[in-house]
Amino acid sequence: MGEFSGKFPVRMNVAVMLFLACMISYMLRVNFSIALLAMVNPTTIKSIGMMNDSTIDGTPSLPDYGPRYDWSKTQQGLLLGAFFWGYLISSLPGTVLAERFGGKVITTWILGLSTVITALMPVAASMGFYTMYAARFITGFLSGPQYPALHNLVAKWAPPEEKGKFISALMGGTFGTVVTFPIAGLLIEAIGWDFAFYVPAALTGVVGILWYFIVSDSPRTHPWIKPEETEFIEKALGSSMTKERPKAPIKAILTSVPFIALTVLHYGNLWGMFFLMTAAPKFMNEVLNFNLSSAGFLSALPYLARLSCGFLFGTIGDFIRMRQWLSSTGIRKTFTIFSHILPGVCLIVICFVYDPYISVAIITTSLAFNGAATITNLQNSHDLAPNFAGLLYGIMNFVGTTSGFISPAIVAYFTQTGNTMDEWSKIFYIGSVVYIVTAIVFMIFGSGNIQPWNEPKKPEEQPEKGQNTRL
């Protein structure tokens, strides 16, 4: 990892903790998508895959995974979207907090409070729909500042030639999805759905403790980093990062065409991610008729592919940058073909496939290509403004998070009266359009160059008070 590495460079430890923090963030998002299938009662959801051989008055019964609740499909959609409403509301204020207090403090609080609220989920469910909605909302609210805080740390810790690897560490969220879907399914079938909350809560607490002792806001404030490594990182970052905390040029950011294009691209990426995250278990369980544990494992496969390809694409991007085969703009726009357009094409193809296993393979291929997001929308904010990478990510994540509650509502709308491939084809078509159109917008208007507003204006650049600035 760069000129100065040693056996265990501190920045590698920080990258590992970034990975684990992202893993926890997504674990707390997706565990409910599996648990919900076991929490609703037989009158609410009749899934072939979840039924056993026993019957009650001639009606197939569901296994006893714990208490079940009378939540309609609309209510289920609302519960799946509750996390993203909370996430949306806190993401922008959380970005300001991350810029002010640093990524370490914000993430420590997020992990600590999330441990408590996740452990209390079964109690919230027993008290009714509204308390469960509130609990999921609070979980999302706590998570809102997470990624802006992590991007703030990446901007301070990652030398340019290692940026792809650090951004790939943020694929820990994908790994969280990979392990949570199957593990939650197994836990539910073995000991009940409440452990789909207890186990993630315990892991969150452990990661929170490790985070507090290992991570620091910058190399210069880390307690055990060697001076040589601090010097290497700061020299590599050069003038792209200012020593003082510059004032954010909000107007310039919000009117920047390259940033608007990035925000559009990020929205398309999150639409595909959140749609499959919240709806894939339901699709595989209710439409493809896989049982609960199988649905969990198969729902994880696309994210395992995305994780693997994310590291691969991140490494490829760093290699191309070092060899100077493409400019930063060229890299971002070229790999948008992989991160957005090809996944969109896959969603179209799935509408013409009726074999369950081929359907799973196509969904897996779609998210494998989307791993290229590590060198497109996930990295572009660092191109445009290293000084404000966390702020930029917070703003575009604020916009993109709306897809987290819009897509479950669309699924609920189209499956209200039927739950067949015909209804789901409409949903997949919408997803493909979002993927492809947002990519085209970025290819036209996007950029990989540092923007003028990244640098704070020097005092001599400011007009003197009362001076006539017109020529």
Side-chain angles (χ1 to χ4, degrees), residues 302-344:
Y303 294 93
L304 180 61
R306 185 177 190 266
L307 175 66
S308 303
C309 291
F311 281 107
L312 176 62
F313 280 117
T315 302
I316 291 172
D318 286 343
F319 183 81
I320 292 175
R321 183 186 180 112
M322 290 175 63
R323 294 296 187 276
Q324 297 183 345
W325 291 346
L326 287 173
S327 65
S328 294
T329 301
I331 293 173
R332 307 297 174 242
K333 292 187 176 183
T334 298
F335 281 89
T336 300
I337 296 172
F338 295 95
S339 66
H340 285 68
I341 292 180
L342 290 179

Side-chain angles (χ1 to χ4, degrees), residues 5-27:
S5 57
K7 288 186 177 180
F8 299 102
V10 169
R11 65 187 185 280
M12 181 181 292
N13 297 332
V14 173
V16 170
M17 293 311 303
L18 292 174
F19 182 90
L20 292 177
C22 292
M23 180 192 78
I24 291 299
S25 178
Y26 271 74
M27 184 175 286

